[in-house]
């Protein structure tokens, strides 16, 4: 299985807000494949496996859009020590 | 001269007109070491105060100097001017050093040759057909070409040690956290830091005296290593080779060119002949250093680069939507910058994080443990800085893996946060650097070993 499929590359480029021309896309795909294939040896070469006495998953949620929470902004702003409407007032810096 | 302060490698008390002459040489520099000349430098030299009055400093173009451009050698920051001055530059100015200009570099620190600048490559003053090394390419070239007395670069995976080795000058990557990163454009925050370059070890020690120490504006530096009570330059001399425990990881010499191996072994033998206890050791964890470094670097770099959106920084591009405008602005990045952002974004995605990024973090931890075991038995580790001498311009630019391979000997110290210096080995032909590594916080020990090497090989 390739380390990075064309669909994954397109998805990553969109997340990272990077424009890619067609030639650039092909080149990056080939380079990423070579690089990640070579670097993939890290996991295999580690001297001991990761300690995992209890099975657990990563805390991050799926990369999927959610409906915005209309009350979230006010709940967050209510916690500001000093506020001006929805804005947090901070000491003058640079 | 204050009592007890060692005489630096350059003469004190020269007139400020020296700065004006330095600017003239910089304007005529054929090596493209500088991106921007500080036209106010001669005037600033007239107002400067401090023990290094009139001495010149070049600053890598990823360190902020108020009023001067701050481009990181990227079109994405073309025209950007720094609104404030980095802590390390402030501290140098307080001692009388005058900033003569901003030096060329690989774009956003992404490179090991000096060829990835969006504004043209720097050439090696020792052989203009060859690379000067990167990413602090202009910093190294500015010292080698005599265009500045001191240079500030930054080192994430070897970015001052590589140009020092290729250009035949001296550099030190300080222990992580010893030097404030305030005013350094963020690349990979767990790896990077400002770093000094100079003609010799004493110059590096003097510059480290100026820049080291906690800074409230960089929280990491508040937990950094302690500075020796009298500083670094005052304590540079007097390391006796007798009894010094020198370790030479066998992995350091594997894959080096014959010339590099021959020169480094000769340098190490001089330590032994002077009474040091030299021993080879095996550190198999070092073979994971290069892939681990790049995986960690990709992840941190992708995060650091999110801020360049055409609104907070970078040229504003008119487009139909916010997303289109941001995407268009980020099109100004060069190919290596784009490659690292893409790979960093990919390997930190939830679905694949464990395969590369988490594995790299575990490898990093094991490498740190391996270094700790090594330093329990040895005072310093010696080896080549770079596996080869400076290669021809254009030789590796098309193959990212070939370029990454140049960092194989420098990234280990970066991952472990250790101090590591590069000091030239005398000899014919292209320059070769000896790398000295020490335990975290033992920057003085590393500098003293570098100084001992200079004395053992004679002439300094």
């Amino acid at each position: 299985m390739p380390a990075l499929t064309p669909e994954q590359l397109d998805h990553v480029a969109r997340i990272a807000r990077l424009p890619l021309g067609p030639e650039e896309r092909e080149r990056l795909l080939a380079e990423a494949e070579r690089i990640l294939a070579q670097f993939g040896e890290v996991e295999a070469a580690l001297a001991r496996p990761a300690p995992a006495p209890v099975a657990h998953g990563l805390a991050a949620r799926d990369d999927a859009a959610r409906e915005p929470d209309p009350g979230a902004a006010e709940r967050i702003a209510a916690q500001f020590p000093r506020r001006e409407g929805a804005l947090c007032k901070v000491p003058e810096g640079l | 001269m204050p009592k007890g302060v060692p005489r630096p490698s350059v003469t004190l008390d020269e007139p400020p007109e020296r700065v004006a002459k330095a600017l003239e040489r910089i304007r005529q520099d054929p090596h493209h070491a500088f991106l921007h000349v500080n036209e106010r430098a001669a005037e600033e030299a007239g107002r400067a105060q401090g023990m290094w009055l009139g001495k010149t400093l070049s600053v890598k173009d990823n360190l902020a100097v108020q009023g001067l451009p701050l481009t990181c050698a990227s079109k994405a920051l073309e025209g950007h001017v720094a609104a404030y001055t980095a802590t390390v530059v402030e501290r140098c100015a307080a001692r009388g050093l005058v900033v003569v200009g901003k030096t060329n570099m690989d774009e956003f620190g992404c490179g090991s040759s000096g060829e990835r600048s969006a504004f043209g490559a720097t050439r090696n003053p020792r052989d203009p057909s060859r690379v000067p090394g990167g990413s602090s390419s202009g910093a190294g070239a500015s010292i080698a070409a005599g265009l500045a007395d001191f240079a500030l670069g930054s080192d994430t995976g070897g970015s001052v040690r590589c140009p020092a080795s290729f250009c035949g000058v001296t550099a030190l990557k300080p222990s992580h956290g010893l030097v404030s990163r305030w005013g350094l454009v963020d690349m990979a925050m767990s790896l990077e830091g400002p770093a000094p370059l100079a003609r010799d070890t004493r110059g590096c020690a003097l510059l480290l005296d100026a820049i080291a120490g906690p800074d409230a504006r960089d929280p990491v530096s508040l937990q950094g290593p302690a500075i020796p009570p009298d500083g670094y330059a005052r304590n540079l001399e007097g390391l006796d080779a007798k009894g010094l425990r020198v370790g030479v990881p066998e992995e350091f010499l594997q894959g080096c060119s014959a010339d590099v191996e021959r020169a480094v072994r000769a340098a190490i033998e001089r330590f032994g002949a002077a009474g040091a206890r030299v021993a080879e050791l095996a550190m198999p964890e070092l073979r994971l250093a290069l892939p681990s470094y790049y995986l960690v670097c990709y992840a941190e770099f992708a995060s650091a680069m999110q801020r360049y959106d055409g609104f907070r920084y970078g040229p504003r591009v008119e487009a139909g939507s916010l997303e289109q405008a941001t995407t268009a602005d980020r099109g100004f990045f060069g190919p290596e910058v784009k490659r690292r952002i893409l790979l960093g974004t990919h390997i930190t995605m939830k679905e694949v994080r464990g395969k590369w990024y988490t594995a790299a973090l575990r490898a990093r931890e094991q490498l740190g443990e391996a270094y700790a075991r090594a330093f329990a038995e040895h005072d310093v580790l010696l080896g080549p800085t770079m596996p080869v001498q400076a290669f021809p311009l254009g030789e590796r630019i098309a193959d990212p893996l070939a370029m990454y391979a140049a960092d194989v000997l420098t990234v280990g110290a970066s991952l472990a946060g250790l101090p590591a210096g590069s000091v030239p080995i005398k000899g014919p032909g292209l320059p070769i650097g000896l790398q000295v590594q020490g335990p975290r916080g033992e920057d003085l020990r590393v500098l003293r070993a570098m100084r001992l090497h200079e004395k053992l090989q004679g002439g300094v």
Side-chain angles (χ1 to χ4, degrees), chain A residues 1-5 8-21 24 27-29 31-51 57-63 94, chain B residues 84 182 287-288 290-292 294-295 298 322-323 326-328 330-333 335 337-339 341-343 345-347 349-356 358-360 362-366 369 398-402 404:
Chain A
M1 179 167 177
L4 184 66
T5 65
Q8 285 175 321
L9 178 66
D10 292 338
H11 175 61
V12 168
R14 189 168 53 79
I15 291 174
R17 301 285 189 264
L18 286 178
L20 298 181
E24 202 175 14
R27 177 177 53 77
L28 280 166
L29 201 58
E31 288 170 352
E33 183 64 34
R34 282 184 62 218
I35 291 170
L36 293 177
Q38 185 133 338
F39 290 175
E41 67 183 84
V42 175
E43 172 69 21
L46 283 172
R48 58 175 186 266
L58 291 171
R61 64 179 180 89
D62 291 335
D63 287 321
L94 288 173
Chain B
Y84 64 98
W182 176 258
R287 63 189 166 81
L288 297 180
L290 188 68
S292 303
Y294 271 101
L295 290 169
Y298 291 154
L322 177 63
E323 180 174 346
T326 301
T327 303
R330 289 162 71 80
F332 287 107
F333 292 144
V337 172
K338 280 188 180 178
R339 186 180 302 118
I341 292 173
L342 283 166
L343 286 167
T345 305
H346 176 61
I347 67 171
M349 289 176 66
K350 178 185 173 186
E351 297 88 346
V352 297
R353 191 173 300 157
K355 181 172 168 57
W356 289 294
T358 309
R362 286 170 45 218
R364 182 178 191 176
E365 184 181 359
Q366 291 189 12
E369 293 168 357
D399 183 355
L401 280 172
Y404 295 165

Side-chain angles (χ1 to χ4, degrees), chain B residues 54-106:
Chain B
K55 294 306 139 191
T56 56
L57 176 72
S58 72
V59 177
K60 187 177 181 181
D61 204 22
N62 63 351
L63 284 161
V65 181
Q66 186 176 16
L68 290 184
L70 179 65
T71 69
C72 299
S74 177
K75 290 200 183 296
L77 282 179
E78 193 170 16
H80 180 73
V81 175
Y84 64 98
T85 299
T87 295
V88 290
V89 179
E90 285 181 341
R91 291 178 175 179
C92 287
R95 297 196 175 207
L97 282 174
V98 177
V99 175
V100 287
K102 306 298 294 300
T103 51
N104 206 353
M105 55 183 284
D106 287 297

Side-chain angles (χ1 to χ4, degrees), chain B residues 168-397:
Chain B
V169 301
T170 307
L172 176 76
K173 183 201 86 68
S175 296
H176 190 65
L178 180 64
V179 177
S180 171
R181 293 172 303 118
W182 176 258
L184 171 67
V185 175
D186 184 20
M187 179 194 175
M189 62 183 297
S190 79
L191 297 163
E192 68 197 357
L197 300 98
R199 279 189 274 282
D200 55 22
T201 302
R202 178 167 286 128
C204 284
L206 286 167
L207 204 52
L208 190 64
D209 274 330
I211 64 177
D215 176 17
R217 296 174 292 189
D218 176 9
V220 173
S221 76
L222 297 178
Q223 297 153 357
I227 299 172
D230 290 337
Y232 299 97
R234 286 176 198 244
N235 294 297
L236 197 57
E237 303 293 342
L239 178 64
D240 192 349
K242 292 185 179 61
L244 183 68
R245 302 174 302 164
V246 172
V248 184
E250 58 191 39
E251 290 80 8
F252 278 179
L253 289 162
Q254 290 167 359
C256 291
S257 72
D259 286 343
V260 168
E261 182 174 355
R262 186 166 40 246
V264 169
R265 286 197 185 278
I268 294 171
E269 280 167 16
R270 281 191 284 272
F271 277 83
R277 193 198 79 187
V278 179
E280 283 204 4
L281 66 151
M283 287 183 67
E285 293 84 359
L286 281 170
R287 63 189 166 81
L288 297 180
L290 188 68
S292 303
Y293 166 81
Y294 271 101
L295 290 169
V296 171
C297 189
Y298 291 154
E300 296 186 5
F301 185 68
S303 172
M305 295 302 288
Q306 288 181 14
R307 72 196 66 179
Y308 300 104
D309 56 10
F311 293 91
R312 289 169 291 178
Y313 302 100
R316 184 74 59 87
V317 178
E318 296 299 326
S321 70
L322 177 63
E323 180 174 346
Q324 288 171 346
T326 301
T327 303
D329 180 75
R330 289 162 71 80
F332 287 107
F333 292 144
E336 181 61 31
V337 172
K338 280 188 180 178
R339 186 180 302 118
R340 295 191 188 197
I341 292 173
L342 283 166
L343 286 167
T345 305
H346 176 61
I347 67 171
T348 49
M349 289 176 66
K350 178 185 173 186
E351 297 88 346
V352 297
R353 191 173 300 157
K355 181 172 168 57
W356 289 294
Y357 182 54
T358 309
L361 293 179
R362 286 170 45 218
R364 182 178 191 176
E365 184 181 359
Q366 291 189 12
L367 180 63
E369 293 168 357
Y371 267 115
R373 289 193 298 272
F375 286 124
E377 303 290 327
H378 305 92
D379 297 316
V380 292
L381 302 180
L382 298 185
T385 304
M386 303 296 288
V388 295
Q389 294 158 293
F391 42 86
L393 288 159
E395 180 179 274
R396 298 192 180 197
I397 195 72

